[in-house]
Amino acid sequence: MFESEASTVAAKEEQYLTVKDASDLLGVAPNTLRSWGASGKIDEYRHPVNNYRLYRMEDVTALLKALQTPVKKTSSNRHDKERKRVRGN
């Protein structure tokens, strides 16, 4: 293999993360990440030799951004209305 081919292969390998590395980056358990992959929340790839799950770095960073985006709370929540009623507000 030529040096340029080796660096191209290495660059392609760096674009993928193992279950452990991706779950550590996301701050979740490995089984949670596997579950998200099975449910389609993140794409899974397989290593051609050992069949291990792999995740693209691009997909992991996009999911990380989505997890860090705060969800706006609305006051139309049924539980909020019940709390106000109980407190007399």
Side-chain angles (χ1 to χ4, degrees), residues 5 7 33-34 37 39 48 54 75:
E5 290 176 0
S7 61
L33 183 58
R34 289 182 188 103
S39 67
L54 297 171
S75 62

Side-chain angles (χ1 to χ4, degrees), residues 36-66:
W36 288 351
S39 67
K41 292 180 182 174
I42 187 168
D43 290 333
E44 292 183 324
Y45 300 88
R46 295 291 180 155
H47 190 282
V49 176
N50 58 24
N51 206 35
Y52 288 173
R53 287 178 178 89
L54 297 171
Y55 302 92
R56 285 186 355 175
M57 182 63 154
E58 181 180 323
D59 295 339
V60 172
T61 54
L63 182 56
L64 183 60
K65 286 180 185 178

